[in-house]
């Protein structure tokens, strides 16, 4: 195939990727968008094959690779539980990172095939681009593996603090720059693998001090990194589709990280430095006895059936308990009884951006009943009942009222303004931030102690009486 | 007035010469955006490195990404991550080159591993996005 025409086709696939993201501006156009994405990928693959014209044997190898990977991917996509989406995305990021390292390795062992010079005489510019790609790719790989292990509960969500880690990280960073300069000078394969090794270690050290609840930022950040790695290799290969896609993914991940940080009122730097957000942080105890009003499933059913407006606030606990289906059943009963039901989602609810929306969609909750914080917060004052299930810190009024609170300034859902707040919780412990929730002691709050799913199911049963 | 016209005509000449050059290059040019870069290189009289053009595309794509991603509804942020993940697997083009034409067996081996890894992502990423998006339904009235 003519190289200019190929370039043009790569541009087309880049544009199709832009349209894939554009489609996500509304659920109705999103499916079409995803189709554009698939077509774009198909064009990129077909163009490369037409351009490279591999021999029959090599072509067989390509089909084999595509079939093995594609089979695994397709089965995973079909079987994965929606609650496990954060882990899945983290795992996918690690694959892109590792693939970037492998592609760069292939390029340094066979520079002629990539048009970046000949062995022993690779263009300096290509070497710089490549080493950036490989460093970011390797960091993405190990960082995502750690994020995956934390999200999947195979590793404690607690921040793991290593003494002098800032010093070690800085030293590794400087070592990386020196190695890249060395690589450009010597083109040594040993130096190349040293860059890989240093970046792999750096990826681990960067993510282990970050707590489980800060994972929404981490997953978004790694999303961004995988994009920058792809873009760097796009420069090496001189491929438009890769450059455009890398830039898109890089900025997308960066924006999501920013939105997540804003949702927690924390700076990006403080999240990256880590040490916050262990899931089992000790509760603050000021020695003051406070009383909590406890209720039963029957009380909750009675209150909600006689309400005019109920707002449901789901959080990570709902995902852990898999309570979304029971919740939808409860909402159906309420709606059948003429109650106005809405859902309110905090930006950082769950373990990744938009996590709650997917779970509610899975339980067949229509998306036009689900609202973002800024769209629904003013409605709590008119609501009879706010049903908080599996959320905690995002409802803590001290973030709004108490200047001395560590989470002061974080935007919260004003559930305390509803006439009654029903709070489903396993025990009276604190949330991930280790901060006592003053909402528990308010007059309008009724605590429903128990597993989120069981409690909701009991309420549904009680509604039938 | 005349001067401006003359200048414009000169530039038009230069442009058409560049296009002719680019067309001549077509048959011999190396792969992908290299060709686009080279054509642009020729058009600018050889003074500008193709890297600059690629970098320009990169910067513009960042801006496009910025505006497009801000317009994504927060309800679809999880599918957004899944689909950005799927499209970043376009790095498959590098893997295909390595498996397809690399003379070195080591390079082809690395390429093959990379190809399998990103294939997981391509199929897994798009299909899981499709599965998620299919769940978003409107209220039936």
């Amino acid at each position: 195939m003519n190289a200019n025409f190929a370039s043009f086709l790569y541009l087309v696939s880049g544009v199709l990727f832009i349209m894939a993201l554009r489609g996500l501006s509304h659920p109705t156009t999103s499916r079409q968008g995803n189709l554009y994405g698939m077509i774009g990928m198909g064009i990129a693959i077909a163009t490369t094959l037409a351009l490279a014209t591999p021999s029959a044997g090599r072509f067989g190898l390509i089909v084999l690779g595509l079939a093995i990977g594609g089979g695994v991917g397709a089965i995973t996509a079909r079987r994965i539980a929606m609650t496990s989406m954060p882990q899945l995305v983290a795992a996918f990021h690690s694959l892109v990172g590792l693939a970037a390292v492998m592609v760069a390795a292939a390029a340094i062992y066979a520079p002629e095939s990539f048009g970046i010079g000949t062995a022993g005489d690779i263009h300096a510019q290509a070497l710089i681009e490549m080493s950036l790609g490989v460093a970011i790719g390797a960091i993405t790989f190990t960082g995502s593996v750690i994020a995956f292990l934390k999200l999947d509960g195979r590793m404690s969500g607690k921040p793991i603090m290593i003494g002098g880690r800032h010093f070690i990280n800085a030293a590794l960073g400087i070592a990386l720059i020196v190695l890249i300069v060395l690589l450009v000078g010597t083109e040594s394969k040993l130096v190349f693998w040293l860059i890989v090794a240093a970046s792999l270690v750096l990826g681990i050290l960067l993510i282990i001090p970050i707590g489980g609840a800060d994972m929404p930022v981490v997953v978004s950040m790694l999303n961004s990194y995988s994009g920058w790695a792809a873009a760097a290799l796009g420069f090496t290969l001189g491929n438009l589709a890769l450059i455009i896609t890398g830039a898109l993914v890089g900025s997308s991940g960066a924006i999501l990280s920013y939105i997540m940080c804003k949702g927690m009122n924390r700076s990006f730097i403080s999240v990256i430095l880590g040490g916050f957000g262990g899931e089992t942080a000790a509760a603050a105890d000021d020695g003051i006895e406070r009383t909590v009003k406890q209720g039963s499933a029957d009380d909750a059913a009675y209150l909600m059936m006689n309400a005019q407006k109920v707002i449901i606030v789901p959080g990570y606990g709902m995902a852990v308990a898999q309570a979304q289906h029971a919740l939808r059943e409860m909402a159906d009963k309420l709606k059948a009884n003429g109650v106005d039901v809405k859902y309110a989602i905090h930006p950082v609810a769950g373990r990744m951006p938009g996590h709650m929306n997917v779970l509610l969609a899975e339980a067949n909750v229509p998306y036009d009943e689900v609202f973002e914080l800024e769209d629904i917060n003013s409605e709590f004052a008119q609501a009879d009942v706010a049903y908080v299930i599996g959320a905690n810190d995002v409802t803590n009024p001290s973030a709004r009222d108490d200047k001395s609170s560590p989470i002061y300034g974080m935007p919260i859902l004003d559930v305390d303004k509803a006439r009654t707040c029903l709070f489903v919780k396993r025990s009276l412990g604190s949330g991930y931030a280790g901060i006592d929730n003053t909402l528990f002691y308010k007059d309008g709050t009724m605590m429903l102690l128990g597993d989120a799913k069981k409690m909701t199911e009991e309420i549904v049963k009680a509604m039938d009486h | 007035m005349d001067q401006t016209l003359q200048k414009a005509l000169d530039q038009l000449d230069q442009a058409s010469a560049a296009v002719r050059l680019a067309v001549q290059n077509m048959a011999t040019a190396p792969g992908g955006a290299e060709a686009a870069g080279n054509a642009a290189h020729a058009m600018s009289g050889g003074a500008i490195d193709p890297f600059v053009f690629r970098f320009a595309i990169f910067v513009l794509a960042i801006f496009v990404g910025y505006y497009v991603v801000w317009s994504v509804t927060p309800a679809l942020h999880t599918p957004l991550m899944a689909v950005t993940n799927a499209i970043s697997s376009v790095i498959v083009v590098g893997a295909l080159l390595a498996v397809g034409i690399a003379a070195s067996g080591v390079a082809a081996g690395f390429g093959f591993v990379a190809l399998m890894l990103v294939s997981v992502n391509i199929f897994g990423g798009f299909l899981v996005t499709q599965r998620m998006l299919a769940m978003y339904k409107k209220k039936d009235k």
Side-chain angles (χ1 to χ4, degrees), chain A residues 3-4 7 24-25 31 34 48 52 58 61 69 77-78 80 92-93 96 113 125 223 238 240 245 353-355 366-368, chain B residues 26 30 32-33 35 51 57 71 75-76 78 84-87 93 99 101-102 112 120-121 123 126 131 133 136-137 139:
Chain A
N4 279 326
S7 244
L24 291 171
S25 59
R31 284 173 277 257
N34 197 39
T48 312
R58 292 292 183 98
L61 214 54
R78 186 153 309 162
I80 191 85
F92 278 174
H93 287 155
V96 175
S113 327
Q125 196 182 316
N223 183 244
L240 283 184
T245 313
H355 192 187
Y367 62 77
D368 38 6
Chain B
M26 272 189 183
F51 171 80
I57 292 169
S71 75
L76 293 176
T78 295
T84 49
N85 193 253
I87 64 172
V93 297
V99 183
I101 53 170
F112 187 70
V120 174
N121 246 355
F123 286 83
F126 281 121
R131 201 180 129 203
L133 293 176
Y136 283 82
K137 289 185 192 89
K139 209 178 327 193

Side-chain angles (χ1 to χ4, degrees), chain A residues 66-388:
Chain A
L66 275 172
I68 296 175
V72 172
I75 292 170
T76 314
R78 186 153 309 162
R79 295 215 179 136
I80 191 85
M82 283 300 145
T83 39
S84 309
M85 205 47 71
Q87 314 49 328
L88 180 76
V89 168
F92 278 174
H93 287 155
S94 74
L95 297 183
V96 175
L98 187 57
V101 174
M102 292 289 164
V103 169
I108 206 158
Y109 279 88
E112 300 88 356
S113 327
F114 291 87
I116 53 170
T118 52
D121 186 26
I122 302 177
H123 307 316
Q125 196 182 316
L127 281 172
I128 296 173
E129 293 157 358
M130 216 155 73
S131 39
L132 282 178
V134 83
I136 304 172
I139 291 174
T140 311
F141 171 56
T142 46
S144 301
V145 168
I146 300 290
F148 168 80
L149 293 174
K150 288 196 175 197
L151 286 165
D152 208 38
R154 294 177 200 218
M155 189 175 156
S156 159
K158 269 188 232 166
I160 297 167
M161 314 292 268
I162 295 170
R165 65 201 152 82
H166 296 316
F167 175 74
I168 301 175
N169 290 349
L172 276 172
I174 294 168
L176 268 179
I177 296 170
V178 173
L179 285 170
I180 291 175
V181 173
L182 268 178
L183 180 72
V184 174
T186 64
E187 208 183 294
S188 146
K189 295 196 173 70
L190 175 69
V191 175
F192 174 84
W193 290 111
L194 282 177
I195 293 178
V196 175
S199 310
L200 290 175
V201 175
L202 190 57
I204 297 176
L205 290 179
L206 278 176
I207 308 301
I208 52 169
I210 303 180
D214 275 347
M215 281 301 142
V217 182
V218 171
V219 174
S220 317
M221 183 185 81
L222 291 168
N223 183 244
S224 179
Y225 283 5
S226 67
W228 302 130
L233 285 173
F235 278 99
T236 314
L237 305 178
N239 186 296
L240 283 184
L242 252 180
I243 295 176
I244 296 176
T245 313
L248 286 179
V249 177
S251 53
S252 163
I255 290 173
L256 289 177
S257 317
Y258 170 79
I259 295 175
M260 293 299 107
C261 285
K262 232 179 99 194
M264 296 194 283
N265 190 37
R266 304 192 48 207
S267 78
F268 186 67
I269 300 294
S270 85
V271 173
I272 297 311
L273 291 181
F276 199 72
E279 282 168 290
T280 47
D285 188 6
D286 50 12
I288 302 168
E289 282 288 320
R290 278 172 290 201
T291 50
V292 170
K293 192 162 64 178
Q294 277 195 41
S296 68
D298 291 313
D299 299 335
Y302 177 81
L303 270 169
M304 284 195 276
M305 283 306 240
N306 291 298
Q308 279 184 329
K309 181 168 183 164
V310 173
I311 300 178
I312 298 171
V313 179
Y316 182 57
M318 179 192 82
V320 174
Q322 299 267 15
Q324 64 269 32
H325 299 281
L327 191 65
R328 208 273 329 251
E329 244 181 272
M330 185 185 94
D332 283 350
K333 285 250 154 63
L334 289 173
K335 279 193 272 180
N337 210 36
V339 183
D340 179 22
V341 181
K342 284 180 177 172
Y343 298 79
I345 312 261
H346 191 277
V348 293
R351 283 292 185 266
M352 75 185 292
H355 192 187
M356 292 298 120
N357 302 78
V358 171
L359 294 180
L360 292 177
E362 186 199 12
N364 278 325
V365 172
Y367 62 77
D368 38 6
E369 286 177 10
V370 184
F371 296 88
E372 303 304 318
L373 179 135
E374 58 266 34
D375 297 327
I376 199 163
N377 230 1
S378 57
E379 290 188 35
F380 280 105
Q382 292 108 51
D384 299 293
V385 176
Y387 186 75
V388 182

